[in-house]
Amino acid sequence: MKINHILLGLCLVFNNLSFCQDAAIDAYQDSLQNIIDSNVSKSVKKESLFLLGEYLVQRDPDKAELIAKDLEDNYIKSDSSEIRRNNYIFAASHRWHGDYKTALDYYKDIHSFSKKRNDSIDIAKSAHFIGTISMYLGNNVQSQNMLLEAASIYDRIGTAKEKARINNTLAGFYLNVDQLEKGKQKYLKALKQFEVLQDSSGLASVNANLGMLYTDLGDYEKAEYHLMKQKEYNVVFPTLREMGFHHDFLGLLRQEQNRLDEAYEEHLKALKIRENLSSTYNLCESKIHMGEILIKLKRYDEAIDQLNDVFSFEEHESLNQEERAYDLLAEAYEKKGDYKSALGTFKAYKNMTDSIYSKESIEIIAEKDALYNQQKKDAEIALLNKENEIKETKLSRSRAIMIISLIGLGLLAIAAIALLRLNKKINSKNETITKALKDRELLLHETHHRVKNNLQMISSLLNLQSKYVKDNNVLEVLQNGRNRVQSMAILHKNLYAGEDLNMVNIQQYFEGLVDSILNSYKKTDKDVDLTIDAEKVIMDVESVIPLGLIVNELVTNSLKHAFPESIKTKPEIILKMSEGEDFYTLKVADNGVGIQNDIIENGKQESFGQRLIKSLSKKLKASISITNDNGTSVSFVLPK
């Protein structure tokens, strides 16, 4: 029973790969035929013939084949893509007649041509058909190669429907090689994919196949569930062909359940449907199943009539069907008591079983032998025609080829040696440069570290010296000097701690600098509201040194002069720096008492700090503006 189920499943896979329905002539067919019969251009008529042939290939395979023949004889010249399209019609018409070997030849031609053209979609499509037919014919190695090739392509570029269909077919393959669990998983995966797609035809097919699988596994409840689901989807997407499969599969389930009368009715329904369809292969399947159930019902004469009919069809040649028919005939004759006929049909069954592979082997040997003999004959004729010419040119041509080959090999060898030496030299230089860069980077890190340490030492010495000074003016000078040195030490600390040895993050630098100034005056952020806004501003070290000294002077002046004890509001200092397209802008402001106007207007003698700010601004080529509104605000514009 299991082999029958697998072969039926293969036929249903073929049905799922088609899109047409069995029905009477409809409006679409009429419209195409009217175009073909009318006075239209040859190109329009050709396209209409293609469309009609593709539409009729399942409805009326004979007519579809005649259309393909008409296209081949009268319309297709040398366009290889059109030949391939027409071969699909030829292949499908033979397939629906059950002539799988002829269909296989057409699909192999399509596959070979698609390989040459690197047409991945057609490679996968033809490989899918080749794999399915090869599985039916028993060539499991070729079947697996083709199906996995199709699946690999569909995984990369296939549609969701193509992926679902290949899983449905691969499930049949795994069942065919007795990997039932793997086959079941593939069917269930295909079922989920068809459910997402809401593909009624695909859902009908995979549910029918699951019904047969669970019948083989003895899980009749699940088998019935899936066969009833197939029937539901056939109502949504009705085709006579699929209803034939439904009744036949349900009949097989009823046989396994020993509900023989119901099984007979289901097989009879399938037989009646298939008597009106084109596929004689499917009709023979029904006759074999009718013979099987009639034997179980002890209606041996009727069974014998049905089984003998299997041998009366010349449209297809299925050794598997004939083998099964002989086996059942032997059983029917034996149970009827006609032992002579039983023995004869059993011998025929055994001969058929023994001859299946030997017959195929003979065909293969004969075909290869004929091909070899033809090639040998053609070679001998060509040899006789070209013998004189070959004698005259063979030696000189061989020498020329040899000389050219040797020269080419010599040049390639020289080029290869030169490239190897050049590559070696480049690698050596790259290693030297890389080492030098690493050494330079290490040296710069070390230099910044030492400069920072030296400046910190100077700052510490000034701080130590200030403890022995009693004069407040001298103490203030020492403190200011220490802060200026500290501003440069903080800069070098940021440089050697960062990844870039030449560029400074202004936000981080200002935060460290102002924190150091506050510490020198024994103040914290609780004493002064401090705002620093210089995010994303990065500057080179040469510009930052004078900039840091300027900020040091301005913040120091604010802390020393802007906030006398008479001011009750909390001191606030703002540092803001931004970057424009061609310049930087720096603003240092406080909310103190403000700078005296006579200092702004140079009416009063400048201090050292003010002169230092002007000198550094000149070095940076910066312009200065000072405002005195609710505190002092000093702005600098620095060109890049």
Side-chain angles (χ1 to χ4, degrees), residues 490 494 498 504-513 532 534 537:
I490 291 170
N494 284 357
V504 180
N505 184 306
I506 298 300
Q507 178 76 23
Q508 295 176 1
Y509 174 54
F510 279 178
E511 287 173 355
L513 176 60
I532 300 175
V537 179

Side-chain angles (χ1 to χ4, degrees), residues 12 117 159 166 174 220 231 239 291 350 370 435 603 623:
L12 195 55
R117 293 288 295 271
T159 63
I166 194 65
Y174 290 125
Y220 303 140
K231 185 178 181 180
T239 70
K350 290 296 295 179
K435 185 177 183 302
S623 60

Side-chain angles (χ1 to χ4, degrees), residues 369-379:
D369 187 61
L371 180 61
Y372 171 76
N373 289 334
Q374 183 62 45
Q375 290 174 340
K376 184 177 180 180
K377 183 178 179 180
D378 292 341

Side-chain angles (χ1 to χ4, degrees), residues 458 489 628:
I458 294 170
N628 199 11

Side-chain angles (χ1 to χ4, degrees), residues 10 66 76 139 255 261 299 338 451 472 479 631:
L10 294 183
L66 290 174
I76 301 174
N139 190 342
Q255 284 194 53
D261 289 333
R299 294 159 62 175
D338 186 350
V451 170
N472 288 335
Q479 184 66 37

